[in-house]
């Protein structure tokens, strides 16, 4: 969740660093900083902490500082993990002599013992961060090693944890050394200018060519080129990859915020997810696979691992896969999966669902699944992300970049991709006739237009939100596939409005949550015509009997379900297993309006970051 940018060569300027950091702002940060190096190896450091517009401050401070021409520089946005969000904890960090500087993403898990050792050898620390140990370790290592790249190579194995970092040394002006292990890092080039960044947007408008860096590899970059090495010191080929995202698509395109833009982009995003996925043989076209074509047929169990909104998409998939394929599906929150004893073997397909493809908990679960011998598949949105490279098979959701911290379009794209996967498993297992699969696929491709119908009710849903903007307690209820929708509706509201909101399977109300219902509570019921329609109608009656306010998400023709004074949001009726794609949209819009009415920053909710690369 921290952001890194580094530049060297002809085009290295302070502005490259500050504007690159600005493009990483959406990831969330609490402090930021840069170190620039001139051709004599002299460092200058600027840092800012906390408060709104810190990056603007960094930019104006940099302009006022009037640094002369620079040969290289590193920059960072920090989201505190070890040590508070203070100025002295802001990156870049330096060693005792101020001749080595480091920016870092992730966690050095054994930093305490490393720090104690370093202190016992006389090093003086000026921050509480785990990052600073890297600078001091390099300081020691450089005494015996001939170069920064050798020094980085020698300290990498002694640090535990998922991390990526870039180091510079005043003894080698113009040299950047980057290291990556289970945290994102990308290399870019534009003629004689080279970049290293944690995320593509940081250098999207600068680099013309992009290269991968694999885990446990390091890269040594100068204005003259880049060389990649593994930890044994062997040289590794630079592998170019295409970046098709335009800078414009990563910006707001005239909307007030990214969240509204991304909610409204859902029909197009889902169309892209579904487009051209079925071969004429009826087979699902996957994006990347190293598995043998028959391996899916051997599957006797599916295990889905994910976090947050991606987990809710995984829940929908469980209903679809079990219904269409009769293959049992287990579902786990990623951070739980790795710490229990999941029953997984080579006939299990472990599906990791993740927008970013970098969420550390899910990445670790995927590693665990591989260690246990399972077949693995990643459903993610970011091409070339760590999960995409680790899994045997990848299905990209193709929703385009999502900047708003609250996931919206990537959620519906995930559900679309997982429904395709379910249909493909049904084909492989011979549980559905090809004609049935074709018909379902056709029906699925009509869903984007249904989502557009919901989007047309944007203002009407805004009116409902206005009615409830004084309410302070929300319960979302649903049954069958309406249950994950209820959970997602509650999560969206919590994330961006900070209002207490819980999601429940409606049948569970009577086992506890009903005690909370009174005239102050607002209950949002997902009551579209899915499998348990009659039962959710009874659950709504239970709510009414407790005088709580009711908002119903229902299908046309069922408006009469709502009593006088209640709100009814109409959504088009679709196949019951496709309903979450449509039913979740009014809840996203409702959460959006509630948060805006309360004056919240919907794109950057407090305490949250877009990509959670810490455990
Ligand atoms: C979604 O609105 C949240 N920001 C969060 O729950 C997110 O879905 C979760 O952190 C998982 O992220 P991923 O999809 O990138 O793995």
């Amino acid at each position: 969740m921290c952001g890194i940018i580094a530049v060297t060569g002809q085009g290295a300027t302070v502005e490259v660093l500050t504007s690159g950091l600005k493009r990483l702002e959406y990831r969330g940060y609490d402090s930021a900083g840069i170190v620039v190096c001139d051709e004599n190896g002299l460092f200058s450091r600027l840092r800012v902490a906390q408060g709104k517009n810190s990056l603007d401050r960094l930019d104006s401070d940099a302009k006022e500082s009037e640094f002369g021409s620079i040969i290289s520089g590193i920059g960072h946005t920090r989201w505190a993990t070890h040590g508070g969000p203070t100025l002295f904890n802001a990156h870049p960090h330096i060693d005792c002599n101020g001749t080595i500087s480091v920016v870092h993403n992730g966690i050095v898990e054994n930093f305490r013992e490393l720090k104690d050792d370093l202190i016992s050898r006389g090093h003086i620390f000026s921050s509480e961060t785990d990052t600073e140990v890297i600078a001091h370790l390099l300081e020691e290592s450089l005494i015996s090693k001939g170069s920064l790249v050798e020094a980085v190579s020698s300290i990498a194995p002694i640090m535990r944890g998922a991390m990526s970092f870039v180091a510079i040394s005043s003894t080698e002006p113009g040299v950047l050394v980057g290291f990556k292990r289970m945290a994102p890092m990308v290399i870019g080039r534009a003629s004689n200018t080279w970049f290293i960044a944690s995320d593509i947007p940081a250098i999207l408008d600068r680099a013309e060519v992009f290269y991968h860096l694999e885990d446990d590899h390091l890269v040594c970059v100068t204005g003259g080129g880049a060389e990649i090495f593994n930890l044994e010191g062997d040289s590794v080929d630079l592998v170019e990859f295409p970046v098709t995202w335009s800078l414009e698509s990563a910006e707001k395109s005239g909307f007030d915020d990214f969240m509204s833009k991304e909610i409204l982009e859902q029909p197009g995003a889902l169309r892209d997810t579904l487009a051209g996925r079925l071969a004429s043989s009826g087979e699902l076209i996957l994006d990347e696979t190293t598995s043998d074509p028959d391996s899916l047929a051997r599957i006797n169990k599916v295990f889905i691992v994910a976090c947050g909104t991606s987990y809710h998409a995984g829940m929908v998939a469980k209903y679809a896969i079990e219904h269409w394929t009769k293959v049992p599906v287990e579902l786990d929150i990623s951070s739980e999966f790795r710490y229990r004893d999941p029953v997984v073997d080579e006939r299990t397909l472990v599906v990791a669902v993740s927008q970013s493809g970098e969420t550390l908990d899910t990445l670790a679960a995927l590693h665990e699944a591989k260690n246990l011998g399972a077949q693995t598949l990643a459903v993610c949105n970011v091409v070339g992300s760590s999960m995409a490279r680790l899994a045997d098979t990848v299905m990209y959701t193709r929703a385009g970049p999502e900047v708003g911290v609250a996931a919206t379009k990537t959620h519906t794209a995930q559900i679309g991709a997982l429904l395709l996967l379910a249909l493909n498993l049904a084909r492989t297992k011979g549980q559905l006739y090809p004609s049935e699969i074709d018909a379902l696929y056709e029906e699925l491709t009509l869903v984007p237009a249904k989502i557009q119908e919901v989007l047309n009710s944007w203002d009407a849903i805004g009116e409902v939100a206005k009615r409830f903007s004084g309410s302070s307690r929300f319960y979302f209820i649903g049954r069958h596939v309406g249950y994950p929708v209820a959970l997602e509706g509650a999560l969206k509201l919590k994330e961006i409005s900070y209002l207490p909101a819980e999601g429940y399977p409606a049948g569970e109300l009577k086992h506890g949550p009903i005690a909370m219902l009174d005239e102050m509570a607002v209950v949002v019921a997902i009551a579209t015509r899915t499998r348990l329609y009659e039962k959710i109608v009874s659950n709504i009656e239970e709510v009414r009997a407790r005088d709580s306010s009711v908002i119903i998400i229902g299908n046309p023709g069922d408006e009469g379900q709502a009593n006088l004074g209640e709100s009814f949001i109409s959504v088009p009726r679709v196949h019951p297993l496709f309903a979450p794609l449509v039913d979740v949209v009014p809840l996203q819009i409702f959460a959006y309006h509630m948060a805006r009415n309360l004056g919240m920053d919907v794109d950057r909710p407090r305490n949250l970051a877009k990509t959670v690369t810490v455990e």
Side-chain angles (χ1 to χ4, degrees), residues 259 263 408 454 457-471 473-476 489-490 492-494 496-497 499-501 522-524 550-553 567 569 583-598 602:
M259 187 178 178
I263 291 174
T408 52
V454 183
S457 307
W458 183 273
D459 292 339
I461 299 168
E463 287 304 314
V464 176
K466 220 181 267 171
R467 278 188 58 197
F468 292 98
S469 47
S471 305
R473 225 165 1 106
F474 292 80
Y475 302 92
F476 290 70
K492 282 289 92 78
L493 188 60
K494 272 187 276 215
I496 58 170
S497 71
L499 288 166
V522 181
V523 175
V524 183
V550 180
I551 302 172
I552 296 174
I553 311 297
S567 298
I569 299 174
D583 298 355
V584 76
V585 177
L587 305 186
Q588 298 168 342
I589 301 172
F590 179 73
Y592 173 84
H593 285 297
M594 290 293 295
R596 287 287 303 250
N597 292 344
L598 291 168
V602 292

Side-chain angles (χ1 to χ4, degrees), residues 307-310 354-356 359 405-407 414 491-492 495 612:
C307 307
T309 290
S310 299
S354 171
Q355 180 283 128
S356 58
T359 301
V405 166
Q414 285 171 339
L491 180 64
K492 282 289 92 78
E495 279 185 310
V612 184

Side-chain angles (χ1 to χ4, degrees), residues 143-182:
I143 296 167
S144 55
K145 301 290 170 188
S147 65
L148 184 61
V149 70
E150 285 174 78
V152 169
S153 178
S154 71
I155 67 157
I158 63 171
M159 294 187 290
R160 285 202 307 272
M163 72 191 80
S164 59
F165 65 86
V166 180
I168 56 175
S169 164
S170 58
T171 55
E172 293 170 63
V175 173
L176 307 175
V177 178
F179 172 74
K180 173 186 181 330
R181 183 192 294 142
M182 286 179 74

Side-chain angles (χ1 to χ4, degrees), residues 67-99:
F67 300 118
S69 69
I70 68 165
I71 188 164
S72 63
I74 55 179
H76 191 266
T77 48
R78 175 172 189 258
W79 190 84
T81 55
H82 292 68
T86 58
L87 191 61
F88 61 86
N89 284 330
H91 297 213
H93 287 287
I94 52 175
D95 66 328
C96 295
N97 310 316
T99 56

Side-chain angles (χ1 to χ4, degrees), residues 148-455:
L148 184 61
V149 70
E150 285 174 78
V152 169
S153 178
S154 71
I155 67 157
I158 63 171
M159 294 187 290
R160 285 202 307 272
M163 72 191 80
S164 59
F165 65 86
V166 180
I168 56 175
S169 164
S170 58
T171 55
E172 293 170 63
V175 173
L176 307 175
V177 178
F179 172 74
K180 173 186 181 330
R181 183 192 294 142
M182 286 179 74
M185 182 161 271
V186 62
I187 305 158
R189 177 177 69 85
S191 49
N192 291 333
T193 308
W194 284 78
F195 310 89
I196 302 178
S198 55
D199 298 81
I200 291 168
I203 54 173
L204 189 61
D205 57 341
R206 306 277 183 185
E208 289 155 6
V209 188
F210 295 83
Y211 304 94
H212 278 306
L213 188 64
E214 294 294 331
D215 283 336
D216 281 309
H217 282 182
L218 46 145
V219 62
C220 179
V221 183
T222 64
E227 269 186 289
I228 298 181
F229 303 94
N230 61 22
L231 286 179
E232 285 72 51
D234 306 319
S235 178
V236 174
D237 286 343
L238 277 173
V239 180
E240 211 179 299
F241 68 98
V243 172
T244 49
W245 291 357
S246 68
L247 191 58
E248 206 187 295
S249 70
E251 291 175 348
K252 289 184 209 163
S253 323
F255 289 93
D256 286 346
D257 39 62
F258 284 107
M259 187 178 178
S260 57
K261 172 178 174 282
E262 287 158 3
I263 291 174
L264 291 162
E265 280 174 349
Q266 287 181 106
L270 182 60
R271 266 188 208 106
D272 287 347
T273 308
L274 304 177
R277 287 289 193 181
L278 285 197
S280 50
S281 58
E283 207 171 324
L284 177 68
I285 301 173
L286 296 157
D287 291 288
E288 290 160 21
T289 185
T290 52
S291 299
D292 81 81
D294 298 328
S295 57
L296 274 191
R298 293 194 291 272
I299 294 298
N300 62 9
K301 177 177 171 180
V302 174
F303 216 128
I304 299 174
V305 289
C307 307
T309 290
S310 299
Y311 178 79
H312 300 152
M315 284 178 77
V316 175
K318 176 178 163 74
Y319 289 92
I321 296 172
E322 290 185 340
H323 179 73
W324 284 328
T325 72
K326 311 292 175 245
V327 174
V329 180
E330 267 199 71
L331 192 73
D332 228 339
I333 294 280
S334 310
S335 53
E336 290 296 315
F337 177 85
R338 55 189 298 212
Y339 293 117
R340 60 190 189 91
D341 299 304
V343 182
V344 165
D345 61 24
E346 67 288 348
R347 296 191 65 194
T348 309
L349 176 68
V350 174
V351 182
V353 187
S354 171
Q355 180 283 128
S356 58
E358 302 292 350
T359 301
L360 186 65
D361 287 325
T362 307
L363 188 58
L366 194 57
H367 269 288
E368 179 69 9
K370 288 207 90 158
N371 290 341
L372 293 169
Q375 297 185 43
T376 54
L377 188 148
V379 173
C380 53
N381 195 44
V382 179
V383 177
S385 57
S386 299
M387 281 179 225
R389 277 177 289 132
L390 182 64
D392 303 325
T393 304
V394 189
M395 242 186 115
Y396 289 119
T397 44
R398 303 181 188 158
E402 187 177 68
V403 176
V405 166
T408 52
K409 65 173 178 171
T410 54
H411 176 61
T412 40
Q414 285 171 339
I415 296 174
L418 289 164
L419 289 170
L420 289 177
L421 180 67
L423 288 175
N424 190 51
L425 274 174
R427 185 193 61 80
T428 315
K429 291 280 177 193
Q431 290 287 341
L432 288 176
Y433 292 118
S435 58
E436 290 176 300
I437 294 176
D438 285 351
L440 283 163
Y441 178 66
E442 281 308 309
E443 206 174 333
L444 187 54
T445 58
L446 301 178
V447 172
K450 308 286 182 190
I451 293 179
Q452 187 56 55
E453 286 180 42
V454 183
L455 296 177

Side-chain angles (χ1 to χ4, degrees), residues 96 119 197 486 558:
C96 295
I119 290 172
D558 288 335

